[in-house]
Amino acid sequence: MTARLAASVSFLDWMQQVQTGMEAVLDRFLPSPAVVPARLHQAMRYTALDGGKRVRPLLVFAAGELFDTPLPLLERAAAAVEMIHVYSLVHDDMPCMDDDALRRGKPTVHVQYDEATALLVGDALQAQAFEVLSGVTGADDSALVPRQLRMLNLLAQASGSVGMCGGQAIDLASVGMTLSLAELEQMHRKKTGALLRAAVMLGALGGKALSADEMAALDDYAGAIGLAFQVVDDILDATADSATLGKTAGKDAADNKPTYVSILGLAESQALAQRLRSNAHQALAPFGDKAQRLRELADLIVQRKA
């Protein structure tokens, strides 16, 4: 990625250009497979490259374009949040967690390599994320350092026990249990929502100073799309096949996990996703047309088929 994309570019073209650009960015920031330990670096690249929708990087770029975040910092933030996401998938798929054999249409890391390598891949990707986000951007670094420090703190909180890892712990402890809707929402605000919120905030915090009202509006938007993403995931797990999803379909029901579909039913879950989409649009009203990419990403999250 060498320049910002014009607002006149269609959403699909913008999305494709960001996704393609992220492959080059991740390739640049991941360790070379020629560097020792070569097998670990190969496995990191196996799972991080050539796959996924890159929703989190797309959110980083959309928010960053709204608040004029410098491109070098946007690239680092997008790569960092994607590395955290990918590491979480690698660990989530391991036998000690969800024990899945398929991810992004190819064998999971512990299947393609082995369990020990999968564990190390996740650990290494987590560390690599913070190395990348804290690195030299090449663009007025002295002015960017305070922003980077705030962004590092945000990503650490979103990834840890009060965020993604905490949500996964609740998820594992909830197998076979009946959760209330409020308990399910709390779990997914952490497990899925925290990192999606971080993606939005990372893109925004690297740019101009945000007012309290702007922060609140972004927070409302991120909260709505974070829940919507999980609601749609639960719907797709119940309605799509493995080939479409690129992962094992119907696994939540097979593992007796509480989901929005199991608590609300399919029709009400679909209605909830649409309400959350509307809430996300409403939250962006103060930003006017400049937030069009974020609106389009809310639509993508709710309308996706995989």
Side-chain angles (χ1 to χ4, degrees), residues 23 28 71 102 105 119 127 130-131 137 144 153 183 195 220 230 239 242 257-258 274 280 285 292 303:
E23 286 298 309
R28 188 168 85 240
L71 181 61
L102 187 67
L119 182 64
F130 290 101
E131 179 180 334
T137 66
L144 292 180
N153 181 264
E183 289 171 329
L195 205 57
D220 287 345
Q230 187 59 52
T239 59
S242 297
K257 283 191 172 186
Q274 293 299 331
Q292 183 59 24
Q303 295 171 345

Side-chain angles (χ1 to χ4, degrees), residues 224-302:
I225 63 165
L227 283 183
F229 192 97
Q230 187 59 52
V231 173
V232 174
D233 250 15
D234 288 354
I235 292 169
L236 292 174
D237 187 71
T239 59
D241 58 35
S242 297
T244 301
L245 294 179
K247 59 183 180 180
T248 306
K251 200 161 191 312
D252 289 340
D255 291 344
N256 200 21
K257 283 191 172 186
T259 67
Y260 283 97
V261 174
S262 68
I263 291 175
L264 295 176
L266 181 59
E268 182 53 35
S269 295
Q270 291 168 331
L272 174 59
Q274 293 299 331
R275 289 197 297 273
L276 289 166
R277 175 189 178 194
S278 177
N279 291 347
H281 278 245
Q282 291 172 15
L284 295 173
F287 303 115
D289 292 341
K290 290 186 68 177
Q292 183 59 24
R293 296 303 186 206
L294 289 173
R295 290 188 187 89
E296 291 166 334
L297 284 170
D299 295 341
L300 173 71
I301 284 169
V302 172

Side-chain angles (χ1 to χ4, degrees), residues 138-155:
D140 193 11
D141 292 307
S142 61
L144 292 180
V145 167
R147 302 183 200 175
Q148 284 177 280
L149 184 60
R150 190 175 181 189
M151 293 162 76
L152 285 163
N153 181 264
L154 172 69
L155 185 58

